Amino acid sequence: MPLEHLLATVGHIAATTVTEEAPSIDGNGQWPEHSIRALQHAGLGGLVVAPEFGGHGQGLFALTRACELLGEVSASAALCYGMHCVGTAVIGSKATPRQQQEFLRPIAAGEHLTTLALSEPGTGAHFYFPQTQLLALSEDEYLVNGSKSFVTNGGRADSYVLSTVGVDPEAARDGFSCLVVPNTTAGLEWGPEWKGIGMRGNSSRSLLLKDVPVPAQYLLGEHGDQLWYIFQVVAPYFLTAMAGTYLGIAQAAFNEARQYLVERAYRHSGATLSQNGLLQHRLGMMWSNIERTRQLLYHATRLGDAGDPGAVLPILSAKAEMGHCCVEVVNEAMTLMGGSSYGQSSRLEVLLRDSRAAHVMAPTTDILYTWLGRALLGQPLLEE
């Protein structure tokens, strides 16, 4: 299916199912069940799955645009869908024939939801240094012990892509490994759902793994491939999906402010706020902020889809810049709209709470700028 048709379908679902569910997602901290199922039912669960396995074979640009459309209505719905697509991309990048049949085909058919489980309470934003232990019981089975934090779609997904220290207890950084673990695996213990000020519908939960038996067939790639996955798959897909989500938030805030300026009129004069020169100027600056950051993001994703080695810097920069753009635009929208935007549970209040996560979702904005600087100076990205 052509990309424009896929995005039109995303837009329709965003305007109907997601719009209807959005108040409950934020107000009740409800996981976006109906929105995610609608996307799966429409065949969009397989957005980044290769066509030979029933998917659409799309990449970074399509994922960014889909998350942008969803994020304009519900950041949580966009994040939950985005994380499914990132997990799917990880599974698909080096999938064995068995993994293709067990995971990729059901994902493309809308029958399987996946997600990432990389972050850990002990390493914080340094999610690429897992402490979760992988022990080889035999050639056919591993034992996993450790804990994960902030698992989006936690307890809701059908499988979890998680990172571990390699089977060698003396493993260096390049000894980390990745697994895909079905939700039916014994020993998965879930913590309570996230109760935060924003991004409230993510079902973001902690996961305790106590002597979890995992068949060797669920190893992704080879032992020691985790950092390859992080920089070749997780980083580009995750960063652009999240940047697209925050672009949607920024666009929603701009739309709210523009509509308010057009409709709000002074009773004593009949003039609307849209006729005020200062407000015209500030709205123009908001648009420019969004548009230049949007074009950086689109440029980065197109380079990534083309396999251009120069894509890494624009991708790192796009997510960092979009974090600043999103927070700045939402703040400015609240200023332009005055007291009406400060009402409890107003649209701007929801956007403000959701936007703040942009800077702290790993890799954080500060880490991304540090990586940019290191790359520009020819230094190792993960140097402590």
Side-chain angles (χ1 to χ4, degrees):
M1 184 183 296
L3 177 57
E4 59 267 27
H5 292 171
L6 292 172
L7 294 178
T9 303
V10 176
H12 174 72
I13 293 172
T16 55
T17 306
V18 183
T19 297
E20 292 169 6
E21 195 173 24
S24 296
I25 293 172
D26 182 78
N28 303 328
Q30 175 182 300
W31 187 70
E33 173 92 32
H34 300 297
S35 300
I36 296 300
R37 301 311 177 200
L39 291 163
Q40 289 182 296
H41 182 72
L44 292 162
L47 182 70
V48 300
V49 175
E52 56 263 37
F53 308 123
H56 296 291
Q58 295 293 334
L60 301 175
F61 179 74
L63 177 57
T64 292
R65 290 287 289 116
C67 288
E68 177 186 349
L69 292 169
L70 295 169
E72 201 169 326
V73 181
S74 169
S76 284
L79 179 58
C80 291
Y81 176 71
M83 290 297 284
H84 161 75
C85 290
V86 179
T88 298
V90 174
I91 295 171
S93 60
K94 292 187 178 184
T96 65
R98 178 161 185 163
Q99 291 165 359
Q100 293 163 3
Q101 293 299 320
E102 187 169 350
F103 299 105
L104 296 183
R105 290 191 181 278
I107 285 172
E111 300 167 353
H112 188 104
L113 186 73
T114 192
T115 195
L116 296 184
L118 303 184
S119 297
E120 298 187 3
T123 55
H126 304 279
F127 65 94
Y128 36 85
F129 293 147
Q131 302 301 300
T132 297
Q133 298 293 313
L134 182 67
L135 174 66
L137 294 180
S138 67
E139 291 185 358
D140 300 320
E141 189 173 43
Y142 304 124
L143 201 64
V144 182
N145 281 281
S147 59
K148 298 295 180 177
S149 57
F150 298 111
V151 181
T152 298
N153 298 325
R156 306 283 185 168
D158 299 297
S159 65
Y160 300 89
V161 174
L162 58 88
S163 53
T164 71
V165 175
V167 292
D168 180 0
E170 303 299 324
R173 288 180 177 176
D174 59 359
F176 300 144
S177 299
C178 284
L179 306 168
V180 56
V181 179
N183 67 339
T184 54
T185 304
L188 302 180
E189 297 184 12
W190 290 101
E193 291 192 6
W194 171 246
K195 302 295 182 184
I197 63 169
M199 292 290 191
R200 300 188 63 208
N202 302 346
S203 189
S204 183
R205 303 170 70 177
S206 60
L207 172 61
L208 182 63
L209 302 111
K210 297 174 63 175
D211 293 329
V212 174
V214 179
Q217 69 211 30
Y218 293 143
L219 177 71
L220 294 174
E222 302 293 334
H223 285 297
D225 275 356
Q226 189 248 359
L227 286 185
W228 180 89
Y229 279 112
I230 291 295
F231 286 104
Q232 299 300 317
V233 188
V234 174
Y237 278 88
F238 178 79
L239 293 175
T240 55
M242 294 307 96
T245 298
Y246 292 111
L247 173 57
I249 295 174
Q251 185 64 53
F254 174 86
N255 293 344
E256 291 285 326
R258 181 182 179 279
Q259 182 177 357
Y260 181 82
L261 296 184
V262 169
E263 295 178 351
R264 176 73 165 89
Y266 292 115
R267 291 184 180 179
H268 67 281
S269 66
T272 65
L273 294 183
S274 64
Q275 295 171 281
N276 182 289
L278 176 59
L279 299 182
Q280 294 165 356
H281 173 84
R282 293 178 71 162
L283 189 73
M285 291 185 67
M286 286 174 63
W287 184 91
S288 297
N289 190 356
I290 295 170
E291 192 60 22
R292 66 172 175 263
T293 316
R294 185 199 311 274
Q295 294 307 320
L296 170 61
L297 176 57
Y298 288 0
H299 171 66
T301 55
R302 289 186 174 113
L303 287 179
D305 285 340
D308 192 316
V312 60
L313 296 184
I315 288 174
L316 295 176
S317 179
K319 196 269 186 179
E321 289 296 302
M322 189 55 71
H324 285 301
C325 171
C326 182
V327 173
E328 289 168 0
V329 166
V330 175
N331 283 336
E332 182 70 353
M334 293 189 73
T335 300
L336 294 186
M337 293 174 64
S340 66
S341 67
Y342 282 78
Q344 191 173 19
S345 299
S346 72
R347 180 69 175 130
L348 263 295
E349 187 236 350
V350 175
L351 296 173
L352 178 69
R353 289 190 280 101
D354 285 344
S355 71
R356 290 301 307 171
H359 289 312
V360 298
M361 276 191 178
T364 65
T365 300
D366 285 336
I367 286 176
L368 290 172
Y369 282 130
T370 300
W371 284 357
L372 274 167
R374 287 173 178 171
L376 292 166
L377 294 170
Q379 299 297 312
L381 262 62
L382 300 186
E383 187 178 67
E384 290 297 310

